[in-house]
Amino acid sequence: MGNGNDSCGSWTRDKLLNSVQRAWVLGYVTSSSQWVLPPDRGVMRNLAEGTDADGVFAWIDNYCSAHPLETIYSAAEALVVTLGVKWQTNHPNLNENHQAH
């Protein structure tokens, strides 16, 4: 998992030096968009919808500050779960709603 194995402590300590870690997080979120989100909603599968890279990094900053012993992977996975819930709420499966009625 490459830089995902680095600690949150290293993320917090090396804010100016973690461009590789930042690229890893963006790649993880981008990849997860394709693997986690369903393709049947008629919109782009983008977990980071409504934010940008700075928003993603701020979320990881907060997570890592609170969990310095966890890995960057753990932080990125928690972000993907949080963003996935938001995306699913914003893009419900309308076919399921029609079938339930």
Coordinates of all heavy atoms in Angstrom, one line a residue:
M1 N 0.8 -1.2 0.0 CA 0.0 0.0 0.0 C 0.9 1.3 0.0 O 0.3 2.3 0.2 CB -1.0 0.0 1.2 CG -2.0 -1.1 1.0 SD -3.4 -0.9 2.2 CE -2.6 -1.0 3.7
G2 N 2.1 1.1 -0.2 CA 3.0 2.3 -0.3 C 2.9 3.3 0.8 O 2.9 3.0 2.0
N3 N 2.7 4.6 0.4 CA 2.6 5.6 1.4 C 1.4 5.5 2.3 O 1.4 6.2 3.4 CB 2.7 7.0 0.7 CG 4.0 7.2 0.1 OD1 4.2 7.0 -1.1 ND2 5.0 7.6 0.9
G4 N 0.5 4.7 2.0 CA -0.7 4.5 2.9 C -0.2 3.8 4.2 O -0.9 3.9 5.2
N5 N 0.9 3.2 4.2 CA 1.4 2.6 5.5 C 2.1 3.6 6.4 O 2.4 3.2 7.5 CB 2.4 1.4 5.1 CG 1.7 0.2 4.6 OD1 0.6 -0.1 5.1 ND2 2.3 -0.5 3.7
D6 N 2.4 4.8 5.9 CA 3.0 5.8 6.8 C 2.0 6.2 7.9 O 0.8 6.1 7.7 CB 3.3 7.1 5.9 CG 4.4 6.8 4.9 OD1 5.1 5.8 5.0 OD2 4.5 7.7 4.0
S7 N 2.5 6.6 9.0 CA 1.6 6.9 10.1 C 1.0 8.3 9.9 O 1.5 9.2 9.2 CB 2.4 7.0 11.4 OG 3.3 8.1 11.4
C8 N -0.1 8.5 10.6 CA -0.8 9.8 10.6 C 0.2 10.8 11.3 O 0.1 12.0 10.9 CB -2.1 9.7 11.4 SG -3.5 9.3 10.4
G9 N 1.0 10.3 12.2 CA 2.0 11.2 12.8 C 2.9 11.8 11.8 O 3.3 13.0 11.8
S10 N 3.3 11.0 10.8 CA 4.2 11.5 9.8 C 3.5 12.5 8.9 O 4.1 13.5 8.4 CB 4.8 10.4 8.9 OG 3.9 9.8 8.1
W11 N 2.2 12.2 8.6 CA 1.4 13.2 7.8 C 1.3 14.5 8.5 O 1.6 15.6 7.9 CB 0.0 12.6 7.7 CG -1.0 13.6 7.0 CD1 -1.7 14.6 7.6 CD2 -1.4 13.6 5.6 NE1 -2.4 15.2 6.7 CE2 -2.3 14.6 5.5 CE3 -1.0 12.8 4.5 CZ2 -2.9 14.9 4.2 CZ3 -1.6 13.0 3.3 CH2 -2.5 14.1 3.2
T12 N 1.1 14.5 9.8 CA 1.0 15.8 10.6 C 2.3 16.5 10.7 O 2.4 17.7 10.6 CB 0.4 15.5 12.0 OG1 -0.9 14.8 11.8 CG2 0.2 16.7 12.8
R13 N 3.4 15.7 11.0 CA 4.7 16.3 11.2 C 5.3 16.9 9.9 O 5.9 17.9 10.0 CB 5.6 15.2 11.7 CG 7.0 15.7 12.0 CD 8.0 14.6 12.4 NE 8.2 13.7 11.2 CZ 7.9 12.4 11.1 NH1 7.3 11.8 12.2 NH2 8.2 11.7 10.1
D14 N 5.1 16.3 8.8 CA 5.7 16.7 7.6 C 4.8 17.3 6.6 O 4.8 17.0 5.4 CB 6.4 15.4 6.9 CG 7.4 14.8 7.8 OD1 8.1 15.5 8.5 OD2 7.6 13.6 7.7
K15 N 4.0 18.3 7.0 CA 3.0 18.9 6.2 C 3.6 19.4 4.9 O 3.0 19.3 3.8 CB 2.2 20.0 6.9 CG 1.2 19.4 7.8 CD 0.3 20.5 8.3 CE -0.8 19.8 9.2 NZ -1.9 20.6 9.3
L16 N 4.8 20.0 5.0 CA 5.4 20.6 3.8 C 6.1 19.6 2.9 O 6.4 19.8 1.8 CB 6.4 21.7 4.2 CG 5.7 22.9 4.9 CD1 6.8 23.9 5.4 CD2 4.7 23.6 4.1
L17 N 6.4 18.4 3.5 CA 7.1 17.4 2.8 C 6.3 16.2 2.3 O 6.9 15.3 1.8 CB 8.3 16.9 3.7 CG 9.2 18.0 4.2 CD1 10.2 17.4 5.2 CD2 9.9 18.6 3.1
N18 N 5.0 16.2 2.5 CA 4.2 15.0 2.2 C 3.5 15.0 0.9 O 2.4 14.5 0.8 CB 3.3 14.7 3.4 CG 2.2 15.8 3.5 OD1 2.1 16.7 2.7 ND2 1.3 15.6 4.5
S19 N 4.1 15.6 -0.2 CA 3.4 15.6 -1.5 C 3.2 14.2 -2.0 O 2.2 14.0 -2.7 CB 4.2 16.5 -2.5 OG 5.5 15.9 -2.7
V20 N 4.1 13.3 -1.7 CA 3.9 11.9 -2.2 C 2.7 11.3 -1.4 O 1.8 10.6 -2.0 CB 5.1 11.1 -2.0 CG1 4.9 9.6 -2.3 CG2 6.2 11.6 -2.9
Q21 N 2.6 11.6 -0.1 CA 1.5 11.1 0.7 C 0.2 11.7 0.2 O -0.8 11.0 0.1 CB 1.7 11.4 2.2 CG 2.8 10.6 2.8 CD 3.1 11.2 4.2 OE1 2.9 12.3 4.5 NE2 3.7 10.3 5.0
R22 N 0.2 13.0 -0.1 CA -1.0 13.6 -0.6 C -1.4 13.0 -2.0 O -2.6 12.8 -2.2 CB -0.8 15.1 -0.8 CG -0.7 15.8 0.6 CD -0.3 17.3 0.4 NE -0.4 18.0 1.7 CZ -1.2 19.0 2.0 NH1 -2.0 19.4 1.0 NH2 -1.2 19.5 3.1
A23 N -0.5 12.8 -2.8 CA -0.8 12.2 -4.1 C -1.4 10.8 -3.9 O -2.4 10.4 -4.6 CB 0.4 12.1 -5.0
W24 N -0.9 10.0 -2.9 CA -1.4 8.7 -2.6 C -2.8 8.8 -2.2 O -3.7 8.0 -2.6 CB -0.5 8.0 -1.5 CG -0.9 6.6 -1.3 CD1 -0.4 5.5 -1.9 CD2 -2.0 6.1 -0.4 NE1 -1.1 4.4 -1.5 CE2 -2.0 4.7 -0.5 CE3 -2.8 6.8 0.5 CZ2 -2.9 4.0 0.2 CZ3 -3.8 6.0 1.2 CH2 -3.8 4.6 1.0
V25 N -3.2 9.8 -1.3 CA -4.5 9.9 -0.8 C -5.5 10.3 -1.9 O -6.6 9.7 -2.1 CB -4.6 11.0 0.3 CG1 -6.0 11.4 0.6 CG2 -3.9 10.5 1.6
L26 N -5.1 11.2 -2.8 CA -5.9 11.6 -3.9 C -6.2 10.4 -4.8 O -7.3 10.1 -5.3 CB -5.4 12.7 -4.7 CG -5.4 14.1 -4.0 CD1 -4.7 15.1 -4.8 CD2 -6.8 14.5 -3.5
G27 N -5.1 9.6 -5.1 CA -5.3 8.4 -5.9 C -6.2 7.4 -5.3 O -7.0 6.7 -5.9
Y28 N -6.1 7.2 -4.0 CA -6.9 6.3 -3.2 C -8.4 6.7 -3.3 O -9.3 5.9 -3.6 CB -6.5 6.2 -1.8 CG -7.3 5.1 -1.0 CD1 -6.9 3.8 -1.1 CD2 -8.4 5.4 -0.3 CE1 -7.6 2.8 -0.5 CE2 -9.1 4.4 0.4 CZ -8.7 3.1 0.3 OH -9.4 2.1 0.9
V29 N -8.7 8.0 -3.1 CA -10.1 8.5 -3.2 C -10.6 8.3 -4.6 O -11.7 7.9 -4.8 CB -10.1 9.9 -2.7 CG1 -11.5 10.5 -3.0 CG2 -9.8 10.0 -1.2
T30 N -9.8 8.7 -5.6 CA -10.2 8.5 -7.0 C -10.5 7.1 -7.4 O -11.5 6.8 -8.0 CB -9.1 9.1 -7.9 OG1 -8.9 10.5 -7.6 CG2 -9.5 9.0 -9.4
S31 N -9.6 6.2 -7.0 CA -9.8 4.8 -7.3 C -11.0 4.2 -6.6 O -11.8 3.5 -7.1 CB -8.6 4.0 -6.8 OG -8.8 2.6 -7.0
S32 N -11.2 4.6 -5.3 CA -12.3 4.2 -4.5 C -13.7 4.6 -5.1 O -14.7 3.9 -5.1 CB -12.2 4.7 -3.1 OG -11.1 4.1 -2.5
S33 N -13.7 5.8 -5.8 CA -14.9 6.3 -6.4 C -15.4 5.2 -7.5 O -16.6 5.0 -7.6 CB -14.6 7.6 -7.2 OG -14.3 8.6 -6.3
Q34 N -14.5 4.6 -8.2 CA -14.8 3.6 -9.2 C -15.2 2.3 -8.6 O -16.1 1.6 -9.1 CB -13.7 3.5 -10.2 CG -13.4 4.7 -10.9 CD -14.6 5.3 -11.6 OE1 -15.3 4.7 -12.4 NE2 -14.9 6.6 -11.3
W35 N -14.6 1.9 -7.5 CA -14.9 0.6 -6.8 C -16.0 0.6 -5.8 O -16.7 -0.4 -5.7 CB -13.6 0.1 -6.2 CG -12.6 -0.2 -7.2 CD1 -11.5 0.5 -7.4 CD2 -12.5 -1.4 -8.0 NE1 -10.7 -0.1 -8.4 CE2 -11.3 -1.3 -8.8 CE3 -13.3 -2.5 -8.2 CZ2 -11.0 -2.2 -9.7 CZ3 -13.0 -3.4 -9.1 CH2 -11.8 -3.3 -9.9
V36 N -16.3 1.8 -5.2 CA -17.3 1.8 -4.1 C -18.6 2.3 -4.6 O -19.7 1.8 -4.2 CB -16.8 2.8 -3.0 CG1 -17.8 3.0 -2.0 CG2 -15.5 2.2 -2.4
L37 N -18.6 3.3 -5.5 CA -19.9 3.9 -5.9 C -20.6 3.1 -7.0 O -19.9 2.6 -7.9 CB -19.7 5.3 -6.3 CG -19.1 6.2 -5.3 CD1 -18.9 7.6 -5.8 CD2 -20.0 6.3 -4.0
P38 N -21.9 3.0 -7.0 CA -22.6 2.3 -8.0 C -22.6 3.1 -9.3 O -22.7 4.3 -9.3 CB -24.0 2.1 -7.4 CG -24.2 3.2 -6.5 CD -22.8 3.5 -5.9
P39 N -22.6 2.4 -10.4 CA -22.6 3.1 -11.7 C -23.9 3.4 -12.3 O -24.0 4.0 -13.3 CB -21.9 2.0 -12.7 CG -22.3 0.7 -12.1 CD -22.3 0.9 -10.6
D40 N -25.0 3.1 -11.6 CA -26.4 3.2 -12.1 C -27.1 4.5 -11.7 O -28.3 4.5 -11.7 CB -27.2 2.0 -11.7 CG -27.4 1.9 -10.2 OD1 -26.7 2.6 -9.4 OD2 -28.2 1.0 -9.8
R41 N -26.4 5.5 -11.3 CA -27.1 6.7 -10.8 C -27.2 7.8 -11.8 O -27.8 8.9 -11.5 CB -26.4 7.2 -9.5 CG -26.3 6.2 -8.4 CD -27.7 5.7 -7.9 NE -27.6 4.5 -7.2 CZ -27.4 4.4 -5.9 NH1 -27.3 5.5 -5.2 NH2 -27.4 3.3 -5.3
G42 N -26.5 7.6 -12.9 CA -26.6 8.7 -14.0 C -25.8 9.9 -13.7 O -26.0 10.9 -14.4
V43 N -24.8 9.8 -12.8 CA -23.9 10.9 -12.5 C -22.5 10.3 -12.4 O -22.3 9.1 -12.3 CB -24.3 11.6 -11.2 CG1 -25.6 12.3 -11.3 CG2 -24.2 10.7 -10.0
M44 N -21.5 11.2 -12.5 CA -20.2 10.8 -12.3 C -19.9 10.2 -11.0 O -20.4 10.8 -10.0 CB -19.2 12.0 -12.6 CG -17.8 11.5 -12.5 SD -16.5 12.9 -12.5 CE -17.1 14.0 -13.8
R45 N -19.2 9.1 -10.9 CA -18.9 8.5 -9.6 C -17.6 9.2 -9.1 O -16.5 8.9 -9.5 CB -18.6 7.0 -9.8 CG -19.9 6.3 -10.1 CD -19.6 4.8 -10.3 NE -18.9 4.5 -11.5 CZ -18.3 3.4 -11.8 NH1 -18.4 2.3 -10.9 NH2 -17.6 3.2 -12.9
N46 N -17.9 10.2 -8.2 CA -16.8 11.0 -7.6 C -17.1 11.2 -6.2 O -17.9 12.0 -5.8 CB -16.8 12.4 -8.4 CG -15.8 13.3 -7.8 OD1 -14.9 12.9 -7.0 ND2 -15.9 14.6 -8.2
L47 N -16.4 10.5 -5.3 CA -16.5 10.6 -3.9 C -16.2 12.0 -3.4 O -16.8 12.4 -2.4 CB -15.6 9.6 -3.2 CG -16.0 8.2 -3.2 CD1 -14.9 7.2 -2.7 CD2 -17.2 8.0 -2.2
A48 N -15.4 12.7 -4.0 CA -15.0 14.0 -3.6 C -15.9 15.1 -4.1 O -15.6 16.3 -4.0 CB -13.5 14.3 -4.0
E49 N -17.0 14.7 -4.7 CA -18.0 15.7 -5.2 C -18.3 16.8 -4.2 O -18.6 16.4 -3.0 CB -19.3 14.9 -5.6 CG -20.4 15.8 -6.1 CD -21.6 14.9 -6.5 OE1 -22.4 14.6 -5.5 OE2 -21.7 14.5 -7.6
G50 N -18.2 18.0 -4.6 CA -18.5 19.1 -3.7 C -17.3 19.6 -2.9 O -17.5 20.5 -2.1
T51 N -16.2 19.0 -3.1 CA -15.0 19.5 -2.4 C -13.8 19.5 -3.4 O -14.0 19.2 -4.5 CB -14.7 18.7 -1.1 OG1 -13.7 19.4 -0.4 CG2 -14.2 17.3 -1.4
D52 N -12.7 19.8 -2.9 CA -11.5 19.8 -3.8 C -10.3 19.1 -3.0 O -10.5 18.7 -1.9 CB -11.1 21.2 -4.3 CG -10.8 22.2 -3.2 OD1 -10.7 21.7 -2.0 OD2 -10.7 23.4 -3.4
A53 N -9.1 19.1 -3.6 CA -8.0 18.5 -2.9 C -7.7 19.1 -1.6 O -7.4 18.4 -0.6 CB -6.8 18.6 -3.8
D54 N -7.8 20.4 -1.4 CA -7.6 21.1 -0.2 C -8.6 20.6 0.9 O -8.2 20.5 2.1 CB -7.6 22.6 -0.3 CG -6.4 23.2 -1.0 OD1 -5.4 22.5 -1.0 OD2 -6.5 24.3 -1.6
G55 N -9.8 20.4 0.5 CA -10.9 19.9 1.4 C -10.5 18.5 1.9 O -10.7 18.1 3.1
V56 N -10.1 17.7 0.9 CA -9.7 16.3 1.3 C -8.5 16.3 2.3 O -8.5 15.6 3.3 CB -9.3 15.5 0.0 CG1 -8.6 14.2 0.3 CG2 -10.5 15.2 -0.8
F57 N -7.5 17.2 2.0 CA -6.3 17.2 2.8 C -6.7 17.8 4.2 O -6.2 17.3 5.2 CB -5.2 18.1 2.2 CG -4.8 17.6 0.9 CD1 -4.4 18.4 -0.1 CD2 -4.7 16.2 0.6 CE1 -3.9 17.9 -1.3 CE2 -4.2 15.7 -0.6 CZ -3.8 16.6 -1.6
A58 N -7.6 18.7 4.3 CA -8.0 19.3 5.6 C -8.7 18.2 6.4 O -8.5 18.1 7.6 CB -9.0 20.5 5.4
W59 N -9.5 17.3 5.8 CA -10.2 16.2 6.5 C -9.1 15.3 7.0 O -9.2 14.8 8.2 CB -11.2 15.5 5.5 CG -12.1 14.7 6.2 CD1 -13.4 15.0 6.6 CD2 -11.9 13.3 6.7 NE1 -14.0 13.9 7.2 CE2 -13.2 12.9 7.3 CE3 -10.9 12.4 6.7 CZ2 -13.3 11.7 7.9 CZ3 -11.0 11.2 7.3 CH2 -12.2 10.8 7.9
I60 N -8.2 14.9 6.2 CA -7.1 14.0 6.6 C -6.3 14.7 7.7 O -5.9 14.0 8.7 CB -6.2 13.6 5.4 CG1 -7.0 12.9 4.3 CG2 -5.0 12.8 5.9 CD1 -7.5 11.5 4.7
D61 N -6.0 16.0 7.6 CA -5.3 16.7 8.7 C -6.0 16.5 10.0 O -5.4 16.2 11.0 CB -5.2 18.2 8.4 CG -4.2 18.5 7.3 OD1 -3.4 17.7 6.9 OD2 -4.3 19.7 6.9
N62 N -7.3 16.7 10.0 CA -8.1 16.6 11.3 C -8.1 15.2 11.8 O -7.9 14.9 13.0 CB -9.5 17.1 11.0 CG -9.6 18.5 10.8 OD1 -8.8 19.3 11.3 ND2 -10.6 19.0 10.1
Y63 N -8.3 14.2 10.9 CA -8.3 12.8 11.3 C -6.9 12.4 11.9 O -6.8 11.8 13.0 CB -8.6 11.9 10.1 CG -8.7 10.4 10.5 CD1 -10.0 9.9 10.8 CD2 -7.6 9.6 10.6 CE1 -10.1 8.6 11.1 CE2 -7.7 8.3 10.9 CZ -9.0 7.8 11.2 OH -9.1 6.4 11.6
C64 N -5.9 12.8 11.2 CA -4.5 12.4 11.7 C -4.1 13.1 12.9 O -3.4 12.5 13.8 CB -3.5 12.6 10.5 SG -3.5 11.3 9.3
S65 N -4.6 14.3 13.1 CA -4.3 15.0 14.4 C -5.0 14.2 15.6 O -4.4 14.2 16.6 CB -4.8 16.4 14.4 OG -4.1 17.2 13.5
A66 N -6.1 13.7 15.3 CA -6.9 13.0 16.4 C -6.4 11.5 16.5 O -6.6 10.9 17.6 CB -8.4 13.0 16.1
H67 N -5.8 11.0 15.5 CA -5.3 9.6 15.5 C -3.9 9.4 15.0 O -3.7 8.8 14.0 CB -6.3 8.7 14.6 CG -7.7 8.8 14.9 ND1 -8.5 9.8 14.3 CD2 -8.5 8.2 15.8 CE1 -9.8 9.6 14.8 NE2 -9.7 8.7 15.7
P68 N -2.9 10.0 15.7 CA -1.5 10.0 15.2 C -0.9 8.6 15.0 O 0.0 8.5 14.2 CB -0.8 10.8 16.2 CG -1.6 10.7 17.4 CD -3.0 10.6 17.0
L69 N -1.4 7.6 15.7 CA -0.8 6.3 15.6 C -1.4 5.4 14.5 O -0.8 4.4 14.1 CB -0.9 5.5 16.9 CG -0.2 6.2 18.1 CD1 -0.5 5.4 19.4 CD2 1.2 6.4 17.9
E70 N -2.5 5.9 13.9 CA -3.1 5.1 12.8 C -2.3 5.5 11.5 O -1.5 6.4 11.4 CB -4.5 5.5 12.7 CG -5.3 4.9 13.8 CD -6.8 5.0 13.6 OE1 -7.3 4.9 12.5 OE2 -7.5 5.1 14.6
T71 N -2.6 4.7 10.5 CA -1.9 4.9 9.2 C -2.7 5.9 8.3 O -3.9 6.1 8.5 CB -1.8 3.6 8.4 OG1 -3.1 3.1 8.1 CG2 -1.0 2.5 9.2
I72 N -2.0 6.4 7.3 CA -2.7 7.2 6.3 C -3.8 6.4 5.6 O -4.8 7.0 5.3 CB -1.6 7.8 5.4 CG1 -0.7 8.8 6.1 CG2 -2.3 8.6 4.2 CD1 0.5 9.3 5.4
Y73 N -3.5 5.2 5.4 CA -4.5 4.3 4.8 C -5.8 4.3 5.6 O -6.9 4.5 5.1 CB -4.1 2.9 4.6 CG -5.2 1.9 4.4 CD1 -5.7 1.8 3.1 CD2 -5.7 1.1 5.4 CE1 -6.8 1.0 2.9 CE2 -6.8 0.3 5.2 CZ -7.3 0.2 3.9 OH -8.4 -0.6 3.6
S74 N -5.7 4.2 6.9 CA -6.8 4.2 7.8 C -7.6 5.6 7.7 O -8.8 5.6 7.7 CB -6.4 4.0 9.3 OG -5.9 2.8 9.5
A75 N -6.8 6.7 7.6 CA -7.4 8.0 7.5 C -8.2 8.1 6.1 O -9.3 8.5 6.0 CB -6.4 9.1 7.5
A76 N -7.5 7.6 5.1 CA -8.1 7.7 3.7 C -9.4 6.8 3.7 O -10.4 7.2 3.1 CB -7.1 7.2 2.7
E77 N -9.3 5.6 4.3 CA -10.5 4.7 4.3 C -11.7 5.3 5.1 O -12.8 5.3 4.6 CB -10.1 3.3 4.9 CG -11.3 2.4 4.9 CD -11.8 2.0 3.5 OE1 -11.1 2.2 2.5 OE2 -12.9 1.4 3.4
A78 N -11.4 6.0 6.2 CA -12.4 6.6 6.9 C -13.0 7.8 6.1 O -14.2 8.0 6.1 CB -11.9 7.2 8.3
L79 N -12.2 8.5 5.4 CA -12.7 9.5 4.5 C -13.6 9.0 3.4 O -14.7 9.5 3.1 CB -11.5 10.3 3.9 CG -11.9 11.4 2.8 CD1 -12.8 12.4 3.4 CD2 -10.6 12.0 2.2
V80 N -13.2 7.9 2.8 CA -14.0 7.3 1.7 C -15.3 6.8 2.3 O -16.4 7.0 1.6 CB -13.2 6.1 1.1 CG1 -14.1 5.1 0.3 CG2 -12.1 6.6 0.2
V81 N -15.4 6.3 3.5 CA -16.6 5.8 4.1 C -17.5 7.1 4.3 O -18.7 7.1 3.9 CB -16.4 5.1 5.4 CG1 -17.7 4.9 6.1 CG2 -15.7 3.7 5.1
T82 N -17.0 8.1 4.8 CA -17.7 9.3 5.1 C -18.3 9.9 3.8 O -19.4 10.3 3.7 CB -16.8 10.4 5.8 OG1 -16.5 9.8 7.1 CG2 -17.6 11.7 6.1
L83 N -17.4 10.1 2.8 CA -17.8 10.6 1.5 C -18.8 9.7 0.8 O -19.7 10.2 0.1 CB -16.6 10.9 0.6 CG -15.6 12.0 1.1 CD1 -14.4 12.1 0.2 CD2 -16.3 13.4 1.2
G84 N -18.6 8.4 1.0 CA -19.6 7.5 0.3 C -21.0 7.6 0.8 O -21.9 7.6 0.1
V85 N -21.1 7.8 2.1 CA -22.4 8.0 2.7 C -23.1 9.3 2.2 O -24.2 9.3 1.8 CB -22.4 8.0 4.3 CG1 -23.7 8.5 4.9 CG2 -22.0 6.6 4.8
K86 N -22.3 10.3 2.1 CA -22.8 11.6 1.6 C -23.2 11.5 0.1 O -24.2 11.9 -0.3 CB -21.7 12.7 1.8 CG -22.1 14.0 1.3 CD -20.9 15.0 1.4 CE -21.2 16.3 0.7 NZ -20.1 17.2 0.7
W87 N -22.3 10.8 -0.7 CA -22.6 10.7 -2.1 C -23.9 9.8 -2.3 O -24.8 10.2 -3.1 CB -21.5 10.0 -2.8 CG -21.6 10.0 -4.3 CD1 -21.1 11.0 -5.1 CD2 -22.2 9.1 -5.1 NE1 -21.4 10.7 -6.4 CE2 -22.1 9.5 -6.5 CE3 -22.9 7.9 -4.9 CZ2 -22.6 8.8 -7.5 CZ3 -23.4 7.2 -6.0 CH2 -23.2 7.6 -7.3
Q88 N -24.1 8.7 -1.5 CA -25.2 7.9 -1.7 C -26.5 8.7 -1.3 O -27.6 8.5 -1.9 CB -25.1 6.6 -0.8 CG -24.0 5.7 -1.2 CD -24.4 4.7 -2.3 OE1 -25.5 4.8 -2.8 NE2 -23.5 3.8 -2.6
T89 N -26.4 9.5 -0.2 CA -27.5 10.3 0.2 C -27.9 11.3 -0.9 O -29.1 11.5 -1.2 CB -27.2 11.1 1.5 OG1 -26.9 10.1 2.5 CG2 -28.3 12.0 2.0
N90 N -26.9 11.9 -1.5 CA -27.2 12.9 -2.6 C -27.6 12.3 -3.9 O -28.2 13.0 -4.7 CB -25.9 13.8 -2.8 CG -25.6 14.7 -1.7 OD1 -26.5 15.1 -0.9 ND2 -24.4 15.1 -1.5
H91 N -27.3 11.0 -4.1 CA -27.7 10.3 -5.3 C -28.4 9.0 -5.0 O -27.8 7.9 -5.3 CB -26.4 10.1 -6.2 CG -25.6 11.3 -6.5 ND1 -26.1 12.3 -7.3 CD2 -24.5 11.8 -6.0 CE1 -25.2 13.3 -7.4 NE2 -24.2 13.0 -6.6
P92 N -29.6 9.0 -4.5 CA -30.3 7.8 -4.1 C -30.6 7.0 -5.4 O -30.7 7.5 -6.5 CB -31.5 8.3 -3.5 CG -31.8 9.6 -4.0 CD -30.4 10.2 -4.3
N93 N -30.8 5.7 -5.2 CA -31.1 4.8 -6.3 C -32.6 4.9 -6.5 O -33.4 4.4 -5.7 CB -30.7 3.4 -6.0 CG -31.0 2.4 -7.2 OD1 -31.7 2.8 -8.1 ND2 -30.4 1.3 -7.1
L94 N -33.0 5.7 -7.5 CA -34.5 5.9 -7.7 C -35.2 4.6 -8.1 O -36.4 4.5 -7.8 CB -34.6 7.0 -8.8 CG -34.1 8.4 -8.4 CD1 -34.2 9.4 -9.5 CD2 -34.7 8.9 -7.1
N95 N -34.5 3.7 -8.7 CA -35.1 2.4 -9.1 C -35.6 1.7 -7.9 O -36.6 1.0 -7.9 CB -34.2 1.6 -10.0 CG -34.0 2.3 -11.3 OD1 -34.9 2.9 -11.9 ND2 -32.8 2.1 -11.9
E96 N -34.8 1.7 -6.8 CA -35.1 1.0 -5.6 C -36.4 1.6 -5.0 O -37.2 0.9 -4.5 CB -34.0 1.0 -4.6 CG -32.9 0.0 -4.9 CD -31.8 0.1 -3.9 OE1 -31.9 0.8 -2.9 OE2 -30.7 -0.6 -4.1
N97 N -36.4 2.9 -5.0 CA -37.6 3.6 -4.4 C -38.9 3.3 -5.2 O -39.9 3.1 -4.5 CB -37.4 5.1 -4.4 CG -36.3 5.6 -3.5 OD1 -35.9 4.9 -2.5 ND2 -35.7 6.7 -3.7
H98 N -38.8 3.2 -6.5 CA -40.0 2.8 -7.3 C -40.4 1.4 -7.0 O -41.6 1.0 -7.0 CB -39.8 3.0 -8.8 CG -39.6 4.5 -9.1 ND1 -40.6 5.4 -8.7 CD2 -38.7 5.2 -9.8 CE1 -40.2 6.6 -9.2 NE2 -39.0 6.5 -9.8
Q99 N -39.5 0.5 -6.8 CA -39.8 -0.9 -6.6 C -40.4 -1.2 -5.2 O -41.2 -2.1 -5.0 CB -38.5 -1.8 -6.8 CG -38.0 -1.8 -8.2 CD -36.7 -2.5 -8.3 OE1 -36.1 -2.9 -7.3 NE2 -36.2 -2.6 -9.5
A100 N -40.0 -0.3 -4.3 CA -40.5 -0.5 -2.9 C -42.0 -0.1 -2.8 O -42.7 -0.5 -1.9 CB -39.7 0.3 -1.9
H101 N -42.5 0.7 -3.7 CA -43.9 1.2 -3.6 C -44.9 0.3 -4.3 O -44.8 -0.4 -5.1 CB -44.0 2.6 -4.2 CG -43.3 3.6 -3.5 ND1 -43.7 4.2 -2.3 CD2 -42.1 4.2 -3.7 CE1 -42.9 5.0 -1.8 NE2 -41.8 5.1 -2.6

